[in-house]
Amino acid sequence: MDRPGAFCHSKHSGGQTVGGNAREAMKVIICGAGQVGWQIARHLSGEHNDVTVVDNNPDLVRRATDTLDVQGIAGFASYPDVLDRAGARDADMLIAATHSDEVNMVTCQVAHSVFSIQRKIARLRSQSYLTAIYSDLYRRDHLPIDVVISPEREVAAAAMRRLSAPAAFDTEVFMDGKAQLLGIAVGEGCPIINTPLRQLTDLFSTLRAIVVGVRREGTLFAPDPDDQLFVGDSCYVFAHVEDVDRTMEVFGKTQKTQDRIVIVGGGNVGLEVARALESRKTRTRAKMIERNRTQAERAAEALERTIVLNGDGLDAALLKEAGIARADAMLAITDDDKTNLLSAVRAKAEGCPLAIALINDPTLVPMMEPLGIDAYINPRATTVSSILRHIRHGRVRQVYSIGDAEAEVIEAEVLSTSPMAGQRLRDVDFPEGVLLGAVLKGDRVLRPAGDLRIEEGDVVAIFAMAADVPEVERLLQVSIDFF
């Protein structure tokens, strides 16, 4: 893998240089200063956009203004006078991410009807609002929302991706399902430890996979070709979907089909996961444990083949009744982090080979390894990634946020005005914290090589440390148009 020389990145105040033109800062109002709103504000303000955060909790507003380069307004986001104070008259975009679906919907309506804000994104949780037969609701002449984000559906999709690569601690699909990002823990049995990464290209010349990120002793970085992997490292590998199993073997991991699955948690996320399992082509036997009787009954009515048990997911006897010892995987996806962690630990103790826990609080993630939990799903990261996908510049198709917003994998189409177009990879000035994971030419996914020429219409997947994302956008940018 040839890596281009280091690129010197200088920050500009007010705008960024894009193909000789200064890109004006985008003016964004973020309604809701909780974890998702704060993360989006962190991303956008870090890229020199003009961000205002609105929340009716003054403490959350203060936290945002104290820790980020943003303005803050304390008040109800759906009130026209509050949005007016937030600068709605000349805002380019509004992101409604409060805890209330109804507040988010009304906020988008006010943003459209009173202030003519062009781009409106709303986070909606209630499944009733998301049913496809009611999608006319969001037309411009009804309730004008341009993009609806469903955290539950995003998390359920993330859970299914975890099951597709059970030996990976993190995974995301790219390039229309033709490529996959794999988070792989490097253990004692890994056959390629202490081997320079550039040698892997020679050793496995036909393997369409590349190491784009490594976490060592808590620090994430984009590796150089001479870097080696050590026991205890966690690495991110970008691979062709047909080479996923072989990639896992190279790292000393074995993959097994997941036929028997136990789900702890029968809320919206659990229901979405169970429905997805039932729609699989391969026969999957799923059992669900839900503590709330009403929710358990609702799940039992909605599902066809899934057996629903009413009780506590921490109850050893109930886990035994659900067949945890014979299960291939267990998903702990309640709305309580500690319940998820402890039920995953109990499942492992009962002999379940794969335990996946939903964890909202990122400070709990370091406990996973000592507790023996195999993988986790971070709802905040999946929602943030989904929102970022819709607000990036250039022809961006997908964005995946890694860790605590430490890095991103960005998939984008190369346009004729991109500085990359027509260049061989070795001649592109990539920043130090950036690596190319794959190039999609037509319907072929290619492993990056120095002599590979990037053409207009190609799709690239780029791993970028957070500080280098603006430079990646410069390489992908087409004009001062944001959308």
Side-chain angles (χ1 to χ4, degrees), residues 4 75 80 89 139 143 169 184 240 270 283 296 326 361 402 404 415 421 427 449 464 474:
R89 292 188 187 278
R139 279 188 0 215
L143 188 59
F169 66 81
I184 306 174
H240 191 294
R283 182 80 175 177
R326 298 187 307 281
D361 182 355
I402 290 177
D404 192 14
L415 299 167
D427 299 325
R474 185 189 71 81

Short mmCIF file of all heavy atoms in Angstrom, two decimals, residues 4 75 80 89 139 143 169 184 240 270 283 296 326 361 402 404 415 421 427 449 464 474:
data_model
loop_
_atom_site.label_atom_id
_atom_site.label_comp_id
_atom_site.label_asym_id
_atom_site.label_seq_id
_atom_site.Cartn_x
_atom_site.Cartn_y
_atom_site.Cartn_z
N PRO A 4 0.73 8.40 0.10
CA PRO A 4 1.25 9.67 -0.37
C PRO A 4 1.91 10.44 0.77
O PRO A 4 1.70 10.16 1.95
CB PRO A 4 0.00 10.41 -0.88
CG PRO A 4 -1.04 9.35 -1.05
CD PRO A 4 -0.71 8.30 -0.04
N GLY A 75 -34.39 27.89 25.48
CA GLY A 75 -35.79 28.12 25.18
C GLY A 75 -36.36 26.93 24.42
O GLY A 75 -35.64 26.00 24.07
N PRO A 80 -41.51 30.20 17.62
CA PRO A 80 -40.95 31.05 16.56
C PRO A 80 -39.99 32.12 17.08
O PRO A 80 -38.96 32.39 16.46
CB PRO A 80 -42.19 31.70 15.92
CG PRO A 80 -43.30 30.72 16.19
CD PRO A 80 -42.99 30.12 17.53
N ARG A 89 -33.67 33.36 10.47
CA ARG A 89 -33.98 34.11 9.24
C ARG A 89 -32.93 33.90 8.15
O ARG A 89 -33.24 34.02 6.95
CB ARG A 89 -34.14 35.61 9.54
CG ARG A 89 -35.39 35.89 10.37
CD ARG A 89 -35.70 37.35 10.52
NE ARG A 89 -36.82 37.52 11.47
CZ ARG A 89 -38.09 37.38 11.13
NH1 ARG A 89 -38.41 37.09 9.88
NH2 ARG A 89 -39.04 37.54 12.04
N ARG A 139 -44.39 15.57 3.11
CA ARG A 139 -44.29 16.37 1.89
C ARG A 139 -44.22 17.86 2.23
O ARG A 139 -44.70 18.29 3.28
CB ARG A 139 -45.50 16.11 0.99
CG ARG A 139 -45.36 14.85 0.18
CD ARG A 139 -46.45 14.65 -0.85
NE ARG A 139 -47.46 15.70 -0.91
CZ ARG A 139 -48.74 15.47 -1.19
NH1 ARG A 139 -49.16 14.23 -1.38
NH2 ARG A 139 -49.60 16.45 -1.27
N LEU A 143 -46.14 18.42 6.14
CA LEU A 143 -45.21 18.65 7.27
C LEU A 143 -43.80 18.56 6.69
O LEU A 143 -43.26 17.47 6.52
CB LEU A 143 -45.43 17.58 8.35
CG LEU A 143 -44.70 17.75 9.67
CD1 LEU A 143 -45.07 19.07 10.33
CD2 LEU A 143 -45.01 16.60 10.60
N PHE A 169 -15.68 -6.60 16.37
CA PHE A 169 -16.32 -5.83 17.45
C PHE A 169 -17.08 -4.63 16.89
O PHE A 169 -17.88 -3.99 17.57
CB PHE A 169 -15.30 -5.37 18.50
CG PHE A 169 -14.28 -4.38 18.01
CD1 PHE A 169 -14.58 -3.03 17.91
CD2 PHE A 169 -13.01 -4.80 17.65
CE1 PHE A 169 -13.64 -2.12 17.46
CE2 PHE A 169 -12.06 -3.90 17.19
CZ PHE A 169 -12.38 -2.55 17.09
N ILE A 184 -11.50 -5.26 14.32
CA ILE A 184 -10.97 -6.56 14.71
C ILE A 184 -9.98 -6.40 15.87
O ILE A 184 -9.03 -5.62 15.77
CB ILE A 184 -10.26 -7.27 13.53
CG1 ILE A 184 -11.20 -7.35 12.31
CG2 ILE A 184 -9.79 -8.66 13.93
CD1 ILE A 184 -10.54 -7.89 11.06
N HIS A 240 -13.36 -6.04 0.82
CA HIS A 240 -14.39 -6.43 -0.14
C HIS A 240 -15.30 -7.43 0.56
O HIS A 240 -14.82 -8.30 1.29
CB HIS A 240 -13.74 -7.06 -1.38
CG HIS A 240 -14.68 -7.26 -2.53
ND1 HIS A 240 -15.75 -8.12 -2.49
CD2 HIS A 240 -14.72 -6.69 -3.77
CE1 HIS A 240 -16.40 -8.08 -3.63
NE2 HIS A 240 -15.80 -7.22 -4.44
N GLY A 270 -35.61 -3.90 19.90
CA GLY A 270 -35.73 -5.35 19.93
C GLY A 270 -36.72 -5.86 18.89
O GLY A 270 -36.48 -6.87 18.23
N ARG A 283 -33.00 -19.90 7.95
CA ARG A 283 -33.89 -20.12 9.09
C ARG A 283 -33.20 -19.72 10.39
O ARG A 283 -32.14 -20.26 10.74
CB ARG A 283 -34.27 -21.61 9.15
CG ARG A 283 -35.23 -21.96 10.26
CD ARG A 283 -36.66 -21.61 9.89
NE ARG A 283 -37.59 -22.06 10.90
CZ ARG A 283 -38.89 -21.82 10.84
NH1 ARG A 283 -39.39 -21.14 9.82
NH2 ARG A 283 -39.70 -22.24 11.78
N ALA A 296 -44.08 -7.00 26.22
CA ALA A 296 -43.90 -8.40 25.82
C ALA A 296 -45.10 -8.88 25.01
O ALA A 296 -44.95 -9.56 23.99
CB ALA A 296 -43.70 -9.28 27.06
N ARG A 326 -27.23 -22.93 24.39
CA ARG A 326 -27.19 -23.46 23.02
C ARG A 326 -27.24 -22.35 21.96
O ARG A 326 -27.12 -22.62 20.77
CB ARG A 326 -28.36 -24.42 22.77
CG ARG A 326 -28.37 -25.65 23.67
CD ARG A 326 -29.46 -26.63 23.26
NE ARG A 326 -30.78 -26.02 23.16
CZ ARG A 326 -31.56 -25.75 24.21
NH1 ARG A 326 -31.14 -26.04 25.43
NH2 ARG A 326 -32.76 -25.19 24.04
N ASP A 361 -23.69 5.03 27.06
CA ASP A 361 -22.64 5.80 27.75
C ASP A 361 -21.26 5.32 27.29
O ASP A 361 -20.83 4.22 27.62
CB ASP A 361 -22.80 5.60 29.26
CG ASP A 361 -21.77 6.40 30.06
OD1 ASP A 361 -20.89 7.03 29.44
OD2 ASP A 361 -21.85 6.38 31.30
N ILE A 402 -16.46 6.81 14.02
CA ILE A 402 -15.72 5.77 14.76
C ILE A 402 -15.35 6.28 16.16
O ILE A 402 -14.88 7.42 16.31
CB ILE A 402 -14.45 5.36 14.00
CG1 ILE A 402 -14.85 4.58 12.74
CG2 ILE A 402 -13.52 4.51 14.87
CD1 ILE A 402 -13.69 4.17 11.88
N ASP A 404 -15.41 7.73 19.87
CA ASP A 404 -16.10 8.90 20.42
C ASP A 404 -15.84 10.09 19.48
O ASP A 404 -15.18 11.05 19.83
CB ASP A 404 -15.57 9.19 21.83
CG ASP A 404 -16.43 10.22 22.56
OD1 ASP A 404 -17.55 10.50 22.10
OD2 ASP A 404 -15.97 10.73 23.60
N LEU A 415 -16.10 13.86 -8.29
CA LEU A 415 -16.63 14.69 -9.38
C LEU A 415 -15.49 15.32 -10.18
O LEU A 415 -14.35 15.34 -9.75
CB LEU A 415 -17.55 15.76 -8.79
CG LEU A 415 -18.76 15.18 -8.04
CD1 LEU A 415 -19.44 16.25 -7.22
CD2 LEU A 415 -19.74 14.55 -9.01
N ALA A 421 -9.56 14.02 -9.13
CA ALA A 421 -9.97 13.50 -10.43
C ALA A 421 -8.81 13.53 -11.43
O ALA A 421 -8.14 14.55 -11.58
CB ALA A 421 -11.15 14.29 -10.97
N ASP A 427 -0.01 10.49 -6.32
CA ASP A 427 0.17 11.93 -6.55
C ASP A 427 -0.85 12.79 -5.80
O ASP A 427 -0.81 14.01 -5.89
CB ASP A 427 0.08 12.23 -8.05
CG ASP A 427 1.17 11.51 -8.84
OD1 ASP A 427 2.29 11.36 -8.30
OD2 ASP A 427 0.89 11.07 -9.97
N ALA A 449 -3.90 1.24 -4.74
CA ALA A 449 -2.49 1.05 -5.07
C ALA A 449 -1.98 2.36 -5.64
O ALA A 449 -2.76 3.15 -6.21
CB ALA A 449 -2.32 -0.08 -6.09
N ALA A 464 -10.61 8.92 7.87
CA ALA A 464 -10.00 10.20 8.23
C ALA A 464 -10.13 10.47 9.72
O ALA A 464 -11.21 10.36 10.29
CB ALA A 464 -10.68 11.33 7.45
N ARG A 474 -12.19 19.00 1.25
CA ARG A 474 -11.55 19.81 0.22
C ARG A 474 -11.26 18.95 -1.01
O ARG A 474 -11.45 19.38 -2.15
CB ARG A 474 -10.26 20.43 0.76
CG ARG A 474 -9.59 21.41 -0.21
CD ARG A 474 -8.20 21.80 0.28
NE ARG A 474 -7.27 20.69 0.16
CZ ARG A 474 -6.65 20.34 -0.98
NH1 ARG A 474 -6.90 21.02 -2.09
NH2 ARG A 474 -5.80 19.33 -1.01
#
